[in-house]
Amino acid sequence: MGLTRAQKARKHGDAAGRAPGGGRAREQVPARPAPPRSSPGLVVGATMAVAAALWLWVHAWILPGFAAAAAGGTPLAEWTLGGFDREHARALAASLGEEGRAAYESIHRSSGLLAPLFVGLAWLLFVALNTASRARRWTRSAVVLAFAGVSLAGNSAIDAALADPGDGAAVTTASLLVLARWVLLVLLLAVTALTAAEGLRRRASARVAGGDRAGDAPLSGPRGQEPGARTGR
């Protein structure tokens, strides 16, 4: 006959009488921390920063330098807040000349083309991430798309108006698009402020809700006791 557990304990010591799985609990290996995840807010914020920097580079650096070098002090079409007429178009075309007008068109087809596209993409992502209501999301996205589309169409219309300053229809179209771009820029800034405020409110509400859930969580000790409390035998 084999020895009982008590006989094994008396013969070989207390360790031999323990069950294979009994005794002290196995030491738990600490779990590896999860790798950090990239936040969508950080990605969208970086995209918006790049787009805004590109837009400012075009309108605060490229165009002012070009106007000082080629336009002879005549304001560029982009800077006319209330639009422009045929006299202004003729004066600008005469100041630029053929070479200056070609350089003006090259700006519109390079950095002047990329800036509205980047702004439109970045602001669409920003609106989609921080707007909860579908109706508000569509309305704000429409403003963003309108700003990008009018900016691109305005560049082409300005080039056409300067190519033929005597064409009243071309000058009127370019003037209206320039005016619409200023209006849409103001609306875009308003959309940015409203969307940022809504995103901050949503994050604050999520943090408060997360704190409430953590406070209502059940205690993790054995049989409902507080962690660290000893159980009696």
Side-chain angles (χ1 to χ4, degrees), residues 126-154:
F126 175 64
V127 168
L129 180 65
N130 295 283
T131 306
S133 171
R134 179 177 298 180
R136 290 197 303 271
R137 189 183 308 121
W138 278 106
T139 302
R140 295 172 184 177
S141 298
V143 173
V144 175
L145 291 174
F147 174 79
V150 168
S151 297
L152 295 175

Side-chain angles (χ1 to χ4, degrees), residues 7-8 11 21 29 32 52 105 108 110 143 145 184 186 210 224 228:
Q7 292 173 340
K8 288 181 180 181
K11 182 176 181 181
V29 179
R32 295 181 180 180
E105 292 178 359
H108 288 161
S110 56
V143 173
L145 291 174
L184 288 169
V186 174

Side-chain angles (χ1 to χ4, degrees), residues 146-226:
F147 174 79
V150 168
S151 297
L152 295 175
N155 290 342
S156 299
I158 289 171
D159 295 337
L162 295 182
D164 187 7
D167 187 351
V171 173
T172 301
T173 301
S175 177
L176 291 176
L177 288 174
V178 168
L179 179 60
R181 177 161 51 184
W182 284 109
V183 174
L184 288 169
L185 177 60
V186 174
L187 292 177
L188 183 67
L189 295 176
V191 165
T192 304
L194 292 173
T195 306
E198 181 176 351
L200 291 175
R201 287 196 302 268
R202 292 177 62 189
R203 289 180 177 83
S205 300
R207 283 195 294 267
V208 171
D212 292 342
R213 286 194 298 268
D216 295 338
L219 299 176
S220 59
R223 296 184 182 181
Q225 295 181 358
E226 296 183 357

